[in-house]
Structure formats: structure tokens, C-alpha cells
Amino acid sequence: MNEQQKEPGDDRNGAVHADLSGASAHFRFRTERLKVASFEFASTCNFNLGGVFHKSLGVIDVSTTGLGIQTESSLEAKPGTLLTDFRFEHRGKTLWSGTARIANIRTGNPNCYGVQFLGPVLNLHALRFNDEILENRVGSALHTMSDFETLPNSWRARCLDLFLLLVEVRRALEAAEAMDQLGSWREPSNSFRLCEAMFLKTWPRFKQLIEKQEIETLDLSPSQVELGLTFAQRLFMLEYEGCEFPHRAYFKPQGYAGDYRMMELAQAANLEGESLFQRFVHYYAQHTSLGRTIKGRAEVALEAAKQLVDSGRPVRILSLACGPAVELRRLLATYPRFEHKVEIILVDQDESALGSCLAELNQVIGLRGDNPPIEIKCLHFSLRQLLAPKRGAERELIQEEIHGVDLIYSMGLFDYLLQPLARRTVARLASYLNPGGRLLVGNLMRVPDSSWQIEFATAWHLIYRIEEEMHDLASAVEGAAKTGVTIDETGHCLFLDVVRTGHSVCDA
């Protein structure tokens, strides 16, 4: 048998045409129609109808063979009526001209007319290209680029210096990869060593440029700041594409920067990335001043939890906006022996954070080799639900699970709360404490070598506070035996430290 011949039933024969099916609902096929509402600018048409010239009538959709017109008053025409000197215009340009005819009419308020072109078809791809690419994207970019000229030359030049330094780092690390034919750079300790060496070599220059940008940015007007953010982000994200930490900060897959995955990356033992440059960016994020503070503030929460567990009694710990709760993983992994029950309550508005956090904590408990009296509860609550729970299940959960806690801590949430809301939140959290219970609220301070970059390069905006503002957060707290402000070991995170006395205020 010839190799090209196939036996009946051979699956290479293709489908049986008698068994093929058509549409299941929309049986009449129509060519693609573009809704003009999706364009940046409206489309219009002009034509001669029975000696009367109609100008600038609104177009509602367009296809290769015709378009739809919308009018308030009737055209006094019927299907088949010719429209001469017909011109379809978009953005002031005539995209089709010739003779057309009315194909169908739908009367009402407004009236709609389907018009068929009698002549060449319209090139929809060209229409899309002109509207979406040339006018919207490139036109908008050209306009914005001209606006960039209002930024100080020195400010823009320094952005370019930072960008070019980042480019040189990438090229150097790509060269290092090419030299390493065995790919040994992928081994975690090797990539860490290489990234550390590159950071130590380049950080002084990065730091110098960023600190100068921080100072000059203070002199920009509000409109210049907005332009500067756009300028810097368009520039730096060219290099940060594919680097998970800055990519998540900029694109905010969970809806906000600083999500649980970013906090996990900031405290990860191994560098992540498919290239040495991506791992360098991860190392860089961990070792700038605020990157080190993310780890440093976790030490404060960890030490507070250890002190509480050392008290020799059952305790309840609540982590608000828990994220990955790396500090609790370390507590459960390293504490020698739990003599009394420890109840851990994780509260976060991100369901993914709770799921990941719970899985990691359970894994740590499973690896201990003993059976510690640890109970973990998760509450998928937003801040609004915590402050103003609805009657019913929300209030019941607050009363049952959150009232009567020995330690409440939050390390990143207040970086996003304005002062009035932050003050109200502190007062409510303090009311949930047991007598003698402790509230720890962390808030980052602005740091010249870090804050500018995370704002202007990756659109990660935080509310920084100073010591006086932290003290003010406790002004509405009732029954505080002691209120103080401490600072983490890096010197860049302030902690409001409140200890309750008397009875908790059960007013949820």
C-alpha cells in the first residue's frame, strides 16, 4: 500500500463532514464590527441623500463592508436608498469615500441605520493601527515626552544615569553567565556570592545618585512630581521586566504593592530568578536600607511573640495584615518547647496570603518532630470589617475570635493608612487586648537612599511617619498603662508600643 494511502478509520483521515456542526445560537454570520465607543475619538460620516447634504452624523460601529449611523431625527429614507458622496471620517481623516446604501433601519429614540459600502472594503486593521497605535499610544507618548521637558535637566539626567548603571549591571552579569559554561551560577550560594559582589561594587554609586534625586525632587512642583513618576517608571520598568519583586510592586497583581509575596521575597533565604540579573535585583531589593528594614522589623515582632510565650501561660497572638508571617514561621521552628497553648490568629484581606501563610506554618509545625499545642485560626477580614463589623456573623467573629488577645502586632498595614484612620485603628485594636495585653504597630520612616527609588521606579507609595506622628496614633487609646515608641535595629522602622490595663472595651 502506498504510504500516502490511509486505511478507513485511520485517524489521519480528518473529520467526517457529514458529522460537522455549525453554530449553536447565532446562525447569521456577520463580519467583525468595531464599536466606535472603544475608540479614543468619535467617528462621523457625511453624505448626500436626495439632494440634502448631511454632515457629521455619529457612527456607532463599523465593519469592512459598512457601518451603523445613529440620528435623533429620521432621515426619511428606506432600505435600498443610495447615499452619494459618502465619506467616513475618523480623527479628521477620510478613511472611506464613495457611494453607499441604507441596508436596514431601526426606528426609535435614537434612530439607527445600517449602511452598506458600494465599493472597496474598509481596512479595519489600518483603522485599528491608526487609532490604537499611532494616535493613542505613540501620539500620547509624544505628547508626554514633550511634557517631560518641563522637568529639570539635572533630574532627568540623573534618572538616565541610574538607568544606564542598571543596564551595565545587567550586561556584566549576562557576560558572567556566558563565561560560566557549566551554569554553576545557578547554585544558590554561588549566585548569592556573585550578586553580593556586584552590589558592593555598585551600591555606593546607586546610593549617591538616589540620594541626590531625593533632594532635588523636594523642589519639584506637584505637576512635575507626577511627570517625574511617569518618566522614571517608564524608564526603569524596561530593565525590571521579569524581575518579580519590582514587577509585583509596579503591576500590583493583588491590587496593591507590598503584597504577601513581596514580603516573602524580601525575607527569602535564596535569591529567585531565571537569570543572574533577576537574582541581583532580588538581592538589591533585600539589601537597600528599607529592604533590610523589612527583615529588621520582623525581628521586633518575633521578639515580642517570644517574650509572650515565655510568660508560662496560654497566650493568644493576632497578626493583622499577616502577609507571609515569616516571623511566626521562625517562632514555631526555633522555639524549644511550647509548655502551654499558643493560639495564633491570622487576619488579612487577601485570601491568597492566608492560604499560603497557613500552609507554611502547618509545614513548619509538621517538621518539629513533636506535637506542640499550637492552634492557628484565619480570618479573611478587611480593615473595614475589623473597625465596623456588620451585625450578625462579622460581629460574632470579632467577639469570639479577636476580643481577649494578649499580643496584636501589625508591621506593614499602617504604611498605607492616613493619620485619622490610623489613629482610629489603633484605638480599636487596643480595645481588643486582654488586661496587660500589648499592641505593636510598625511604620517605616522615609529613607533617602530607598524611598525615592521605590516610589519613582516601581510606583510603590507608602505613608512614612516620624516619632511625633507615632505618639499621636495612641491619643485616642483608653486605659493604656504604657505608651511608647521604639525603633528597630536598622533605625528605619518606628513601633508604637501600647500596653493595656483594666478591662477591655467590648464595643465591637
Side-chain angles (χ1 to χ4, degrees):
M1 182 178 68
N2 189 294
E3 289 185 0
Q4 300 298 318
Q5 294 177 334
K6 304 169 187 175
E7 293 290 341
D10 190 321
D11 59 8
R12 290 174 297 168
N13 284 333
V16 178
H17 283 70
D19 296 336
L20 296 178
S21 61
S24 59
H26 300 286
F27 305 107
R28 294 185 184 276
F29 174 78
R30 297 178 67 189
T31 57
E32 179 186 17
R33 304 184 77 84
L34 299 180
K35 297 290 185 183
V36 171
S38 66
F39 297 154
E40 186 73 17
F41 291 90
S43 299
T44 60
C45 65
N46 308 320
F47 54 83
N48 189 320
L49 172 59
V52 178
F53 197 73
H54 296 265
K55 296 181 65 175
S56 302
L57 294 185
V59 174
I60 54 176
D61 57 32
V62 60
S63 72
T64 58
T65 58
L67 49 76
I69 301 173
Q70 186 171 281
T71 66
E72 294 183 3
S73 59
S74 173
L75 292 177
E76 300 298 334
K78 59 183 180 180
T81 301
L82 293 181
L83 307 174
T84 58
D85 298 326
F86 192 97
R87 294 198 309 276
F88 167 55
E89 297 181 345
H90 184 68
R91 293 182 181 266
K93 296 180 180 179
T94 299
L95 300 184
W96 192 94
S97 63
T99 300
R101 72 177 182 88
I102 295 178
N104 56 72
I105 302 172
R106 188 177 75 238
T107 59
N109 186 19
N111 299 287
C112 296
Y113 297 85
V115 175
Q116 179 185 6
F117 298 144
L118 300 180
V121 297
L122 177 67
N123 188 334
L124 289 186
H125 177 73
L127 173 60
R128 272 201 181 118
F129 180 79
N130 286 326
D131 189 86
E132 298 177 13
I133 305 300
L134 291 184
E135 299 296 339
N136 284 0
R137 185 170 299 183
V138 178
S140 175
L142 290 172
H143 177 73
T144 304
M145 288 173 68
S146 65
D147 290 340
F148 289 156
E149 295 176 2
T150 64
L151 292 168
N153 289 335
S154 58
W155 194 94
R156 284 190 292 161
R158 205 171 291 115
C159 275
L160 290 170
D161 286 345
L162 280 165
F163 174 74
L164 291 175
L165 180 55
L166 200 60
V167 170
E168 290 304 317
V169 168
R170 174 177 56 78
R171 288 178 173 175
L173 293 175
E174 287 173 348
E177 285 185 37
M179 291 167 53
D180 185 1
Q181 297 182 355
L182 298 178
S184 60
W185 67 267
R186 293 184 179 277
E187 201 280 322
S189 62
N190 287 341
S191 60
F192 188 92
R193 175 178 53 81
L194 293 170
C195 292
E196 180 183 41
M198 180 62 75
F199 181 83
L200 292 174
K201 180 68 175 179
T202 58
W203 173 242
R205 182 57 176 161
F206 274 117
K207 185 174 185 292
Q208 180 187 48
L209 290 169
I210 294 167
E211 288 178 341
K212 288 183 178 180
Q213 282 298 78
E214 173 83 359
I215 294 171
E216 190 169 0
T217 299
L218 296 175
D219 295 328
L220 299 183
S221 68
S223 61
Q224 286 178 316
V225 168
E226 290 302 313
L227 281 172
L229 288 166
T230 302
F231 180 83
Q233 287 158 21
R234 287 187 180 181
L235 198 62
F236 287 103
M237 290 311 297
L238 292 173
E239 284 300 303
Y240 284 148
E241 181 66 31
C243 302
E244 189 176 6
F245 193 93
H247 191 272
R248 291 188 76 92
Y250 183 74
F251 289 101
K252 303 171 181 59
Q254 302 301 108
Y256 53 91
D259 62 28
Y260 81 95
R261 177 58 180 159
M262 287 182 66
M263 295 302 98
E264 192 169 50
L265 288 168
Q267 301 172 77
N270 293 327
L271 303 177
E272 297 195 18
E274 294 302 315
S275 69
L276 194 50
F277 175 69
Q278 290 177 6
R279 296 189 184 187
F280 169 80
V281 172
H282 187 183
Y283 183 98
Y284 184 99
Q286 287 185 335
H287 289 83
T288 58
S289 294
L290 287 184
R292 289 185 291 106
T293 300
I294 292 175
K295 287 185 177 181
R297 69 186 183 183
E299 289 293 329
V300 176
L302 174 61
E303 184 59 30
K306 283 183 176 179
Q307 290 177 10
L308 183 61
V309 175
D310 284 342
S311 64
R313 59 182 176 82
V315 295
R316 305 181 75 221
I317 300 172
L318 187 151
S319 175
L320 177 59
C322 63
V326 173
E327 67 286 346
L328 291 178
R329 297 183 203 176
R330 292 179 58 195
L331 172 70
L332 299 184
T334 61
Y335 200 82
R337 180 177 176 80
F338 292 95
E339 300 289 347
H340 303 278
K341 180 180 178 181
V342 176
E343 184 179 334
I344 295 173
I345 306 164
L346 306 172
V347 181
D348 205 291
Q349 67 177 5
D350 183 358
E351 193 172 6
S352 300
L354 291 171
S356 174
C357 184
L358 181 61
E360 292 290 342
L361 291 177
N362 283 332
Q363 183 177 20
V364 170
I365 293 172
L367 292 173
R368 282 184 59 91
D370 58 3
N371 186 25
I374 306 295
E375 182 179 3
I376 303 174
K377 297 178 179 179
C378 297
L379 285 183
H380 185 205
F381 262 34
S382 67
L383 181 61
R384 181 202 61 77
Q385 290 172 300
L386 201 63
L387 296 179
K390 295 179 181 178
R391 291 183 180 275
E394 288 185 8
R395 287 199 179 188
E396 291 174 6
L397 276 173
I398 293 287
Q399 189 65 39
E400 294 172 7
E401 305 296 348
I402 296 184
H403 272 290
V405 181
D406 300 296
L407 170 65
I408 299 177
Y409 71 89
S410 179
M411 295 185 293
L413 174 64
F414 284 75
D415 295 328
Y416 303 92
L417 303 183
L418 294 174
Q419 195 74 2
L421 178 58
R423 192 185 303 116
R424 180 186 170 201
T425 302
V426 166
R428 178 52 60 95
L429 293 177
S431 75
Y432 294 148
L433 293 170
N434 274 328
R438 185 181 184 189
L439 170 64
L440 272 177
V441 170
N443 208 119
L444 295 176
M445 303 170 69
R446 190 170 187 91
V447 183
D449 67 22
S450 301
S451 299
W452 182 91
Q453 185 167 355
I454 69 172
E455 288 175 3
F456 281 81
T458 63
W460 187 4
H461 299 279
L462 300 173
I463 297 173
Y464 301 100
R465 287 187 168 87
I466 59 176
E467 187 171 346
E468 290 77 9
E469 291 170 318
M470 295 300 288
H471 280 292
D472 177 65
L473 293 183
S475 60
V477 172
E478 298 179 3
K482 183 182 71 171
T483 299
V485 174
T486 58
I487 196 165
D488 79 311
E489 61 183 9
T490 70
H492 303 310
C493 185
L494 294 167
F495 275 88
L496 175 67
D497 195 345
V498 178
V499 177
R500 286 279 294 175
T501 187
H503 297 287
S504 298
V505 180
C506 300
D507 57 358

